[in-house]
Amino acid sequence: MNATAHRERRTIAGRIRRRIPGLAHGRAPESLPVTLDRRRIYIVPTRAGLGFGVLLVAMLVGALNYQNNAALLLTCMLGATLASSMLLTWRELHGLTLHSLHAEHGFCDARLAVHLTFDDGRARPGLHIALDDIQQPCPLARHSGRTTITVPTDTRGWMRLPRMRLSNTLPFGLFRAWSWITLHQRLLVYPRPLHDKPPSDADAPHARIAGGDEFAGLRDYRAGDPVRHIAWKASARNQHLLVREFDRAAPGQPLCFDWRALSGFDRETRISRLTGWICDAYDAAHPWLLILEDGRVRGPASDAAHYHRCLTELAELP
Amino acid sequence: MKRPQAPPGTRIEAWELAPLPFNLLCITVLCVLAAHAPHTPAWYTAALVVVGIARWWQRRQQHRRVPAWLRVLMLVAVPIAVVATYGTPFGREPGAAIVCGLLVVKLLESERLRDARMAVGFACFILMSALLFDQSLGFTIVVGLMLLPALATLRALEPGMPGESGWSGWLPAFKTGTGLLVASLPAALLGFLLIPRLSVPLWGAPDNNSIARTGMSDQMAPGDLHSLLSDDSVAMRIGFDGPLPPEDQRYFRGMVLWHFDGRSWTPGAVAQRPWPPAPTAIQGPLTRYDVTLLPSNQHWLFALDMPVTAPEGTRFGPDHTLWSDKPVNQPLHYRVESALDYRLAPEALDPRIRAAALQLPAGYDPRARALAAHWRREAGHDDAAIIRDALDLFHDGGFVYDLNAPLLGRNSIDDFLFDTKTGFCEHYSSSFTFLMRAAGIPARVVVGYQGGYWNDFAHYLLVRQSDAHAWSEVWLKGRGWVRIDPTAAVSRVVYANAGGAAGDVGGGNTSWWMPWQNRLDVVNRWWDQTVVGFDALKQSQLFHPFGIRRATAQMLGIALAVLVFVALGLGALLATLRPRDKPRDALAAAQLRLQRRLARIGITRGASEGPRDFYHRCKAMLPASAKVLDSLADEYLHLRYASSEPPPERARAFVRHVRHFRPRRVVK
């Protein structure tokens, strides 16, 4: 008997949890696509909404006390209109489907841009997304469904996308509807670059790169090329982007960023410094090679793939 | 809930009031001022409007706060101005004036979204309070429409307005509010019907006497009726059971004036005495009718000469007037029976009444007294001859009917009879009664309404304030009190400045819109009866059709709650309804159709499944239809991906194939 009741309670609890998944705050992360349906949209009056509620009660009492039916009718009209705005508020979130997500690369301590694509034909001008204390306005245009949010980062490496709160107060700002989305997508955060100090080693990358660059010619832009190398004037003449190529004065001498050369610093400082050098070298389009802690060597190269591979390695270091 | 905060250094202006909502807020405030303009002094409203417009201009030009001292000055000036005008800050009109002023002060300090929301709420409340002064249909509609700018302001405060500046985007802002207002009308009506009415007010019964309302006052001095005669508002509406009484019988008796002090007529002491009404001898059939009297703030009711039964809650005065126990503050319905052919106190006159009916102030109007004495000497005991003399005097003595009567001096009757000879009903009834009393005939003045407009469509008689009238009654031995209308004897009528006065002296002039106004009164009547007159009693009979004799407040509350939930559910259902995914062309439509058909037998296309994989999976699961699916897949892939625009005839063929394809459920 006891066991049966227990089982039933468990099943009821299970059923409730299944019906209203958002009730549990620590709900399991889900995978894309995520559709906001009626079970996971919450709605409460905002502070302004509560204020209007008090106002409506005052109007109602006044109209009733003065036995004034015209005033009562007006109060009912206003009340019904404001109350039904709740449905519009709710509908602004209902049916919204988060289809895909694409994170940009970003460094630690900076806000990481994440592009969200919603699969939806409607315009949702009042959508706000909050990952932390900051509400980010993310209006969705009709048929585009794309928007960008920024994610705060504080440690390098793989981080889980924080729980997102999608909210909306349209049309009158009297109600706020919101819904939580927890995804198990992970974002890679590159280490924080340290630019300020030259390496203790003699071969400062700045000097080498500055001395070794000679303009060699133009080529077509390829994704990942540093922006500062784009030849804007030439591009304007040619209708497509051109990039300046630099003759490697000493092609056999790529810069060498060696983990072991940075002895005397703590682990994170080493990673940050290496990251800073790699960024500088990449911006200058100078080839470099990275020697990691365990002696593995990456490079030499100066292209985007190499750049991202190096930074990923650094970010993933234990 | 966590309050959203602007991140440091970003978009501080998000909390600032954008130009569009500010403009809309200014319009809302102007609307509120307009709604209260009819009962606030014109200079006060004008001053507030000027301040409001100046504020709009200032924010538009400078985009800066109004200095604090100016706001404080305004805050102080408003109550001072109101007290200086009304003498007190309390009461309905001073209160309305003060809140209007405070709303403008709020507009002066509105710089943030929060201020604007508060101002909108405040404006809605003040709009409602305007209806406490006038709840006619037209005014209610106007005030209801004034909610639209308030709603538009609320909408414009939210994101998603195109442009968000100046005037662009005002149309969408209005659209949301208007749409919602219209969509929630049924819910509003339900609430109106079901919200339980208070049978007793919660606090101090509303002091309706403070409302300055034109209506009949309880005295008649020369010129008093003038404002009434140019007032087009409705006094009462009457529906008759039988045929409409003829025009010359439509005298609605209101109040009898006994006492004359040389200048004005008042009811005097007789009306207050608990003397029994004079005996009435009825001849001929009774006329039965229903009266809806609009609020007059007075105690007396109006009934056709001569009422014989007193409705519930009323009593007869000694002069056969109807008195209500309470002043008429709400529209009052009552049913009366009147005898058009009657003898009132025909046999004998109570000596106390005779004394009151012969009262004259000493030392006034010697010429009129002399004239009356002259008539008495000539006629001897023939009272009827004296009456004829007086009526002949009005008819042939060069008297003119004119609403613009000249002012009269101390001996007002003498001045009128022998000098000005120009006036309207009150002058004629007053001087006629004076002459009769001076000649020794008991006489009194009766004020009420005469005439009215018969609405043939809805079958009721519409009586306006401008139908107000005063006439005389004289007592003749054997005939009792006889109604004499001396105004009717006047032959020359000047209508030049009569305004809308239609009732005095049969017909009178009518402005061009008056016929229309009379016809349209049907709607006002409906409004007064169904909406304004929907009180606790009518509400308790709401469930009659469902077999509930008397609905209690509790029942109403429960019904309201149930219906609110049903309405919310329905609304949510409507809100969830979404158009099906709209296919972009015939090809996509056919593909969707195929997918739906397959989904019915359990093969659903995954969100990440391409068409080729999907067809492949289908083929594996439905070996019987493999061939058809193969060709469909080839066709679809070719049409969709081989060219940017599928050739129409082949697309049509695909659509046809899909239509004929009936997947059979897999038998396991």
Side-chain angles (χ1 to χ4, degrees), chain A residues 42-117:
Chain A
Y42 307 94
I43 186 161
V44 291
T46 58
R47 198 175 288 202
L50 291 177
F52 267 85
V54 172
L55 175 93
L56 281 170
V57 170
M59 287 171 73
L60 185 70
V61 171
L64 285 177
N65 190 62
Y66 284 88
Q67 305 188 334
N68 188 309
N69 276 342
L72 185 63
L73 188 61
L74 189 85
T75 307
C76 286
M77 269 161 63
L78 185 65
T81 308
L82 297 186
S84 56
S85 81
M86 181 166 64
L87 290 173
L88 280 197
T89 309
W90 180 77
R91 203 174 72 125
E92 281 292 311
L93 286 189
H94 181 259
L96 189 60
T97 305
L98 178 57
H99 203 66
S100 66
L101 175 149
H102 164 69
E104 289 196 354
H105 302 287
F107 295 92
C108 182
D109 282 353
R111 289 185 80 91
L112 191 62
V114 177
H115 305 287
L116 304 176
T117 307

Side-chain angles (χ1 to χ4, degrees), chain A residues 33 44 47-48 52 55 58-61 64-78 80-82 84-88 90-91 94-95 120 125-126 128 133-135 137 169-173 176 178, chain B residues 1-4 7 11 92 117 121 124-125 128 131-132 135 140 143-144 147 151 154-155 158-160 176 180-181 184-185 188 191-192 195-199 201-203 206 527 531-532 534 568 571-572 575-576 578:
Chain A
V44 291
R47 198 175 288 202
F52 267 85
L55 175 93
M59 287 171 73
L60 185 70
V61 171
L64 285 177
N65 190 62
Y66 284 88
Q67 305 188 334
N68 188 309
N69 276 342
L72 185 63
L73 188 61
L74 189 85
T75 307
C76 286
M77 269 161 63
L78 185 65
T81 308
L82 297 186
S84 56
S85 81
M86 181 166 64
L87 290 173
L88 280 197
W90 180 77
R91 203 174 72 125
H94 181 259
D120 190 30
H128 281 71
D133 286 349
I134 303 175
Q135 292 246 21
T169 55
L170 242 54
F172 293 145
R176 170 172 288 112
W178 79 94
Chain B
M1 164 167 312
K2 196 171 279 176
R3 203 160 173 260
R11 292 204 63 180
R92 206 175 299 186
R117 284 207 185 97
C124 289
F125 187 84
M128 184 212 81
L131 289 172
L132 300 181
Q135 41 177 338
T140 309
V143 172
L147 284 180
L151 292 175
L154 278 185
R155 173 65 190 90
E158 288 296 303
T176 312
L180 263 182
L181 193 70
S184 29
L185 271 183
F192 175 78
I195 287 176
R197 302 298 196 275
L198 300 176
S199 44
L202 292 177
W203 68 86
W527 175 259
V531 178
V532 176
F534 188 76
L568 265 183
T576 8
R578 284 202 308 158

Side-chain angles (χ1 to χ4, degrees), chain B residues 353-372:
Chain B
I353 291 205
R354 172 181 284 273
L358 287 172
Q359 172 271 339
L360 281 179
Y364 283 91
D365 309 303
R367 293 165 74 189
R369 282 169 190 263
L371 179 66

Side-chain angles (χ1 to χ4, degrees), chain A:
Chain A
M1 183 69 202
N2 200 5
T4 325
H6 183 70
R7 201 181 309 137
E8 196 172 79
R9 200 168 65 223
R10 246 177 49 195
T11 49
I12 287 176
R15 274 179 63 181
I16 289 176
R17 213 171 302 127
R18 209 166 53 243
R19 299 289 297 181
I20 314 172
L23 258 190
H25 256 222
R27 58 177 303 193
E30 39 193 344
S31 51
L32 293 169
V34 177
T35 302
L36 302 186
D37 58 13
R38 65 196 152 82
R39 286 182 209 159
R40 52 192 295 166
I41 300 176
Y42 307 94
I43 186 161
V44 291
T46 58
R47 198 175 288 202
L50 291 177
F52 267 85
V54 172
L55 175 93
L56 281 170
V57 170
M59 287 171 73
L60 185 70
V61 171
L64 285 177
N65 190 62
Y66 284 88
Q67 305 188 334
N68 188 309
N69 276 342
L72 185 63
L73 188 61
L74 189 85
T75 307
C76 286
M77 269 161 63
L78 185 65
T81 308
L82 297 186
S84 56
S85 81
M86 181 166 64
L87 290 173
L88 280 197
T89 309
W90 180 77
R91 203 174 72 125
E92 281 292 311
L93 286 189
H94 181 259
L96 189 60
T97 305
L98 178 57
H99 203 66
S100 66
L101 175 149
H102 164 69
E104 289 196 354
H105 302 287
F107 295 92
C108 182
D109 282 353
R111 289 185 80 91
L112 191 62
V114 177
H115 305 287
L116 304 176
T117 307
F118 291 93
D119 186 19
D120 190 30
R122 273 181 55 196
R124 315 237 185 196
L127 186 68
H128 281 71
I129 299 178
L131 289 141
D132 45 3
D133 286 349
I134 303 175
Q135 292 246 21
Q136 305 181 34
C138 300
L140 296 184
R142 200 181 164 78
H143 293 306
S144 105
R146 281 169 208 281
T147 187
T148 302
I149 54 172
T150 59
V151 185
T153 56
D154 53 3
T155 43
R156 67 181 167 83
W158 288 99
M159 69 175 270
R160 169 154 286 159
L161 183 65
R163 190 168 58 141
M164 290 190 284
R165 195 183 76 160
L166 281 73
S167 66
N168 168 63
T169 55
L170 242 54
F172 293 145
L174 304 181
F175 295 94
R176 170 172 288 112
W178 79 94
S179 185
W180 296 104
I181 294 186
T182 315
L183 297 173
H184 55 204
Q185 243 79 1
R186 293 190 307 161
L187 315 172
L188 183 62
V189 182
Y190 291 159
R192 177 177 47 241
L194 252 184
H195 295 283
D196 47 351
K197 281 190 190 167
S200 54
D201 212 333
D203 51 357
H206 294 283
R208 286 285 298 273
I209 291 167
D213 280 353
E214 245 171 62
F215 179 71
L218 291 167
R219 63 165 171 82
D220 282 353
Y221 175 83
R222 285 196 294 265
D225 280 334
V227 173
R228 71 165 72 158
H229 288 180
I230 294 173
W232 293 109
K233 279 183 185 163
S235 301
R237 278 194 299 274
N238 282 282
Q239 310 291 328
H240 58 273
L241 285 178
L242 296 174
V243 179
R244 281 190 292 270
E245 266 199 322
F246 295 93
D247 194 15
R248 303 285 176 269
Q253 290 184 6
L255 294 169
C256 176
F257 305 139
D258 192 348
W259 171 278
R260 285 160 301 187
L262 287 168
S263 54
F265 293 97
D266 68 26
R267 193 174 172 77
E268 289 303 319
T269 315
R270 283 187 189 186
I271 293 173
S272 288
R273 183 145 296 159
L274 288 174
T275 307
W277 290 341
I278 290 172
C279 291
D280 290 342
Y282 179 61
D283 283 352
H286 200 281
W288 73 91
L289 56 83
L290 174 68
I291 304 172
L292 286 163
E293 190 179 8
D294 52 6
R296 280 181 295 153
V297 179
R298 297 280 175 266
S302 66
D303 56 356
H306 177 54
Y307 169 75
H308 288 301
R309 194 166 53 239
C310 289
L311 289 182
T312 306
E313 297 257 20
L314 286 173
E316 284 176 337
L317 279 179

Side-chain angles (χ1 to χ4, degrees), chain B residues 182-514:
Chain B
V182 171
S184 29
L185 271 183
L189 287 179
L190 270 182
F192 175 78
L193 283 179
L194 293 177
I195 287 176
R197 302 298 196 275
L198 300 176
S199 44
V200 183
L202 292 177
W203 68 86
D207 177 19
N208 269 310
N209 294 326
S210 65
I211 304 179
R213 201 192 284 272
T214 60
M216 215 164 268
S217 73
D218 57 355
Q219 65 158 358
M220 187 179 84
D224 267 4
L225 276 181
H226 183 262
S227 63
L228 208 54
L229 288 174
S230 42
D231 177 6
D232 285 342
S233 60
V234 176
M236 53 183 182
R237 301 188 178 93
I238 301 148
F240 292 94
D241 282 5
L244 173 72
E247 170 102 30
D248 60 352
Q249 298 272 18
R250 273 184 247 149
Y251 283 85
F252 294 93
R253 182 186 196 79
M255 177 179 52
V256 172
L257 306 175
W258 294 85
H259 186 263
F260 186 54
D261 64 358
R263 175 163 180 78
S264 57
W265 291 85
T266 51
V270 178
Q272 307 302 324
R273 297 282 151 82
W275 296 338
T280 322
I282 303 162
Q283 298 163 346
L286 291 178
T287 303
R288 295 183 178 83
Y289 52 97
D290 293 290
V291 181
T292 306
L293 182 65
L294 295 183
S296 62
N297 300 319
Q298 303 287 4
H299 279 274
W300 59 83
L301 309 182
F302 297 88
L304 208 56
D305 264 350
M306 183 58 73
V308 292
T309 52
E312 202 179 326
T314 63
R315 60 184 169 83
F316 275 120
D319 39 22
H320 253 258
T321 47
L322 280 175
W323 289 80
S324 161
D325 300 338
K326 289 182 291 183
V328 183
N329 289 331
Q330 299 284 328
L332 180 71
H333 307 275
Y334 53 92
R335 184 170 173 77
V336 203
E337 289 175 320
S338 289
L340 297 182
D341 199 356
Y342 61 90
R343 295 269 189 275
L344 185 61
E347 299 308 325
L349 200 58
D350 188 310
R352 293 168 299 185
I353 291 205
R354 172 181 284 273
L358 287 172
Q359 172 271 339
L360 281 179
Y364 283 91
D365 309 303
R367 293 165 74 189
R369 282 169 190 263
L371 179 66
H374 170 70
W375 285 342
R376 171 56 78 189
R377 272 198 306 278
E378 294 212 329
H381 289 290
D382 190 358
D383 287 350
I386 296 175
I387 294 170
R388 264 198 310 280
D389 282 340
L391 292 180
D392 285 347
L393 173 71
F394 289 140
H395 190 259
D396 306 323
F399 282 86
V400 178
Y401 180 93
D402 190 348
L403 273 182
N404 269 14
L407 289 176
L408 303 172
R410 180 178 178 273
N411 291 315
S412 54
I413 305 289
D414 277 2
D415 286 357
F416 172 69
L417 283 178
F418 302 107
D419 297 332
T420 67
K421 299 191 175 184
T422 305
F424 47 95
C425 57
E426 64 178 38
H427 299 91
Y428 289 100
S429 61
S430 164
S431 46
F432 179 82
T433 310
F434 186 96
L435 286 170
M436 291 303 108
R437 287 183 175 187
I441 304 173
R444 57 195 186 186
V445 173
V446 185
V447 289
Y449 296 98
Q450 193 263 321
Y453 168 84
W454 176 250
N455 192 310
D456 210 22
F457 173 70
H459 298 285
Y460 70 98
L461 188 72
L462 166 66
V463 178
R464 296 183 181 278
Q465 295 292 359
S466 53
D467 294 322
H469 193 45
W471 60 92
S472 302
E473 278 181 344
V474 294
W475 188 82
L476 299 175
K477 182 111 182 93
R479 290 184 58 194
W481 290 102
V482 177
R483 179 179 65 226
I484 308 276
D485 189 355
T487 318
V490 183
S491 52
R492 253 190 79 200
V493 178
V494 175
Y495 290 124
N497 296 304
D504 213 17
V505 186
N509 92 320
T510 47
S511 44
W512 61 269
W513 72 86
M514 189 48 91

Side-chain angles (χ1 to χ4, degrees), chain B residues 542-564:
Chain B
L542 200 60
F543 294 148
H544 257 211
F546 307 107
I548 297 171
R549 190 169 280 280
R550 228 187 98 71
T552 58
Q554 215 175 354
M555 284 158 125
L556 292 166
I558 291 171
L560 183 63
V562 168
L563 284 172
V564 161

